[in-house]
Structure formats: structure tokens, C-alpha cells
Amino acid sequence: MAGSSGIQRTLRFVQQLPEFGWETAVLSTHPRAYERTSDDLLAEVPDGTPVRRAFALDTARHLQLGGRYLGWMARPDRWISWKFDGVRKGMQLIREFRPDVIWSTYPIASAHVIGAALHRKTGIPWVADFRDPMAHDGYPADPLTWKSFHEIEQAAMRHASRCVFTTPGAARMYQERYPEAAGRIVVLENGYDEESFASVKPTDGAGPGAAQGQPLVLLHSGIVYASERDPTQFFTALGNLQRSGRLTPAELRVRFRAAVHEQLLRDLAAKHGASDFIEISPAVPYREALAEMTSVDALLVMQATNCNAQIPAKVYEYLRAGRPILGLTDPIGDTAGVLRGAGLPDIVSINSVEAIEAALPGLVRRWRAGEVVLPLPDAVRAASRRGRSEAMAALLAQARGTGGG
């Protein structure tokens, strides 16, 4: 799959867990299931790692007729078709390798369906890696999909040896929702891969403190979601600033790299008069994306208030990139907490046009003048994925010791 920094969580665990005494076997899907693919990371799967791919279709692309499909065919998600071959191939892996623990990872909800089924059939301890909350207020919007999400998380809270979240806020939410499972709910944050950064070189022709006469480049790298990372207020503020002359496209260019929903960005930028500021750029191989992060003038993270208990995985790569970061998010959310903990003060409410308008011109001019605040070195070191893998190994050992749930 291409286009999501969340891929790195699973890949780095597969790479690094053997250092801490755990071998991995991977159950995934046929590549046709993904809308966008890239083979640039396949070489990083360690030699000898068993990778089995189950038959899978994307309901929205493969099973629709006249642009429509029946709702049950995409519940809990559009890839539920992989459940049947996934359980079959999962049982083959279990018979062949006799694993100590089954680990499944969201945001593909059907992965937990398969993990639960394999646990039920074998009694092998199951770790459910939620990362982010599943069923919460207003999400999923469809009531029947919400119900299916709720049932999946209830099953995990009853039967999984550990339920893992990437943020303290998400863990607290689920400890309050399922107090009987509170002792099995743990936090294992995302991180960055030091080896990947060590092999990249900054992009030529860019760099901190944009050359005189060139606009400063503010980069958002990764997916932009219509709700969870809604840029509407940001674009409205940019349009207002241009019309008033307080900030111009000659001073700032906002680059969206691999946003996936490119047309949404174009439409919103046009609607709110921000098109002259915006650059839409295609996906590039992972290391090229990292090189770009280290080279631009500043980095942009967006996270809506409805995701206060979530932290974009990209934030940890941003920290390692060592550039200034503008956080458009809720100042009381977990994303703001990570930025603040790294010594980064530039956090502005994503919901407030007025706050963005007030902050942005001065911020751009300070950056251009070289007055930047960079992430604290100790906070950067703490976010390394190697440390996360060591914590993961300890978590797996605990799960193995609990037996079946």
C-alpha cells in the first residue's frame, strides 16, 4: 500500500522485533485490494519473513454496479472480503509456525475480525493494536457501520490479552468505556525509523530560510482527510490574508505531498481564494518523502478536534526531520501535547480562522528571518521506533504469559 505513514509501524516491528527475541510471520492481502500501491518498501521486509497474501477485493471498486453497492458488502469496511481467505491462510500459518501470539492492527477493521476468529479457533493469545479509537461520537457516520465497529471493539476488550493504543487520550477513553478491561489497555506510540533518515540526503535547491525572492515552503506530507484534517479554516484564512495584503503567495507556498484527496484540496482552495498559495504534489518513494521533510522551511500538521485522542504517525517523522512545525490542531488535544512536549510553541486552533490569520504572517516572517524553534533533541531521541519495538517485545511477552482470553 502507498500513501500512509501508518505502514511504517508494522514494517518496523517486523524488521526490529527479531533483535528482541521475536520472529514474525505476516498475513496481508492481495495488492489489488489497495487503491494505490508502491513497491519501494518491499525490499525492507527482512529476508526469510513469511508473507502470505489472502484473496481480497475492495467493495467500492470491484463489487459496485452502476456506482453503487449494498451496505453489508462493506461492513465493517470495504475489504471484508479478505476475512474468508484470511482466516484460512491464517490457520495455515498457525499450523506451520505455531506462533505464541496473534497480533492484528487497525485502521483496517476487518483485520481485527480475522484476529478474533483465529484466537477463537486456536486459543492463542491475541493482541489487538487499535492505534486510534474505533467507534466514537459521529464516527463512523453510518449507524450500521458504527454498530459493527462497536461490536469489534467489544469483542477485543473481552478476549484480547492486550488492547494497544498510540495515544494517552485514546487509552483513557477506552479505560473509561471498558473499566473491566482497563488493566489490559496500554499505550505504544508511533515513532520514526532512524536508519531510514540516516540514508537520505536533503533535497537540492531547498533549505531552511528560503532564498530571497522565493516563497517559504510549508509542507504537509501525507493524507488529508475531509473531516479529520479539514483545511477549510486554514484556506479561508489564507484567502483573507491575501485579499488584505497581510500575506502573499510570494511569501508562502503550502505544499501538499501525497494528499490522496487532491481534488478536495483544489476545490476548497478555489472556493476560499487560497489557490495561489497551494501546491499539490504527487506521492514519491518513502525516502524521497523523508528527504523533502528535512529540506523544506517548515512542516505542517493538521488534526481536527474530533481527533483529540489521535496523533498522526507523521508527527514523529516531522520531529526527526528537525524543521520548525506549525500545528493546526486543538491546543488541548494529544497532537498538541506531543508538539509542546518537544518544545514546539507554534500551535494554532484548526477551527479558528481568526487565530490562523493572526498567527500566520508573523510566523512566516520569523521563519524567513531565521528565528526558528526546532524540536528538542531529547524528545526526538525518545520517539525512535527501535525503542518502540523493544516496548512491543515486552508487551508480547506479557501477552504470551496470560494465555488465551
Side-chain angles (χ1 to χ4, degrees):
M1 178 181 176
S4 170
S5 57
I7 295 165
Q8 298 297 321
R9 180 176 177 86
T10 301
L11 175 61
R12 302 310 166 189
F13 284 151
V14 170
Q15 279 186 329
Q16 296 168 0
L17 280 172
E19 293 181 40
F20 304 104
W22 287 85
E23 300 295 334
T24 60
V26 179
L27 175 64
S28 188
T29 67
H30 190 283
R32 77 166 71 85
Y34 303 122
E35 288 184 86
R36 300 170 63 248
T37 61
S38 172
D39 61 3
D40 66 301
L41 293 176
L42 288 178
E44 299 190 28
V45 178
D47 291 341
T49 301
V51 179
R52 306 290 163 79
R53 296 187 178 275
F55 174 87
L57 299 173
D58 177 350
T59 299
R61 290 185 294 124
H62 300 131
L63 299 177
Q64 56 88 13
L65 186 62
R68 301 174 67 85
Y69 54 86
L70 298 175
W72 64 265
M73 299 169 67
R75 226 172 265 132
D77 56 43
R78 292 157 37 194
W79 303 275
I80 188 59
S81 60
W82 85 298
K83 170 186 174 182
F84 308 102
D85 198 38
V87 171
R88 184 179 71 85
K89 281 194 164 63
M91 289 301 297
Q92 290 175 350
L93 280 167
I94 287 168
R95 285 191 289 268
E96 186 174 353
F97 296 103
R98 302 179 64 84
D100 295 290
V101 178
I102 296 165
W103 180 74
S104 60
T105 186
Y106 179 72
I108 304 300
S110 48
H112 283 340
V113 174
I114 294 170
L118 295 174
H119 164 71
R120 199 164 51 245
K121 286 175 175 289
T122 65
I124 296 171
W126 169 36
V127 175
D129 184 41
F130 282 83
R131 308 195 207 182
D132 296 326
M134 284 189 68
H136 49 100
D137 291 343
Y139 181 84
D142 172 60
L144 292 177
T145 303
W146 189 95
K147 182 173 181 291
S148 69
F149 272 40
H150 188 52
E151 290 170 349
I152 291 168
E153 68 179 37
Q154 284 181 315
M157 294 296 158
R158 283 195 302 269
H159 300 297
S161 296
R162 295 291 184 274
C163 295
V164 184
F165 294 86
T166 57
T167 71
R172 282 194 303 271
M173 178 191 302
Y174 276 78
Q175 287 166 343
E176 292 168 2
R177 187 181 296 180
Y178 299 99
E180 70 283 2
R184 292 181 283 115
I185 295 171
V186 298
V187 176
L188 184 59
E189 291 185 52
N190 285 310
Y192 69 88
D193 180 50
E194 179 59 35
E195 288 76 10
S196 295
F197 272 94
S199 65
V200 305
K201 295 181 180 179
T203 306
D204 292 337
Q212 291 300 315
Q214 299 296 318
L216 179 146
V217 176
L218 176 63
L219 171 69
H220 184 281
S221 186
I223 302 174
V224 175
Y225 299 101
S227 172
E228 296 90 336
R229 297 172 192 168
D230 180 9
T232 299
Q233 311 307 319
F234 179 43
F235 286 0
T236 301
L238 286 172
N240 292 347
L241 288 167
Q242 183 176 10
R243 284 186 290 273
S244 67
R246 287 174 288 164
L247 187 68
T248 72
E251 297 172 281
L252 176 67
R253 176 162 294 274
V254 184
R255 180 181 301 158
F256 289 92
R257 172 73 68 187
V260 177
H261 303 109
E262 286 92 350
Q263 195 56 51
L264 169 70
L265 291 176
R266 292 187 182 95
D267 291 345
L268 285 173
K271 178 179 179 180
H272 298 287
S275 296
D276 291 344
F277 287 100
I278 305 305
E279 175 185 322
I280 310 295
S281 299
V284 295
Y286 178 62
R287 280 179 170 73
E288 288 184 31
L290 296 183
E292 183 177 41
M293 289 180 209
T294 66
S295 302
V296 295
D297 298 286
L299 299 162
L300 171 66
V301 58
M302 299 189 298
Q303 191 79 330
T305 302
N306 62 4
C307 295
N308 270 1
Q310 300 174 34
I311 301 168
K314 190 70 65 179
V315 166
Y316 301 96
E317 293 169 344
Y318 277 10
L319 294 178
R320 174 57 180 82
R323 304 306 311 133
I325 301 173
L326 169 60
L328 294 184
T329 188
D330 187 336
I332 66 171
D334 280 356
T335 298
V338 167
L339 296 177
R340 204 175 288 114
L344 298 167
D346 299 316
I347 300 165
V348 182
S349 172
I350 192 172
N351 297 324
S352 174
V353 174
E354 293 78 13
I356 298 170
E357 281 187 46
L360 203 53
L363 190 56
V364 169
R365 290 179 183 114
R366 289 199 302 276
W367 284 340
R368 183 173 284 281
E371 300 171 8
V372 299
V373 178
L374 302 181
L376 295 171
D378 286 349
V380 174
R381 282 192 293 271
S384 167
R385 284 197 191 273
R386 190 165 299 280
R388 309 295 198 224
S389 293
E390 186 173 10
M392 175 68 166
L395 186 156
L396 293 172
Q398 293 167 8
R400 176 176 54 191
T402 64

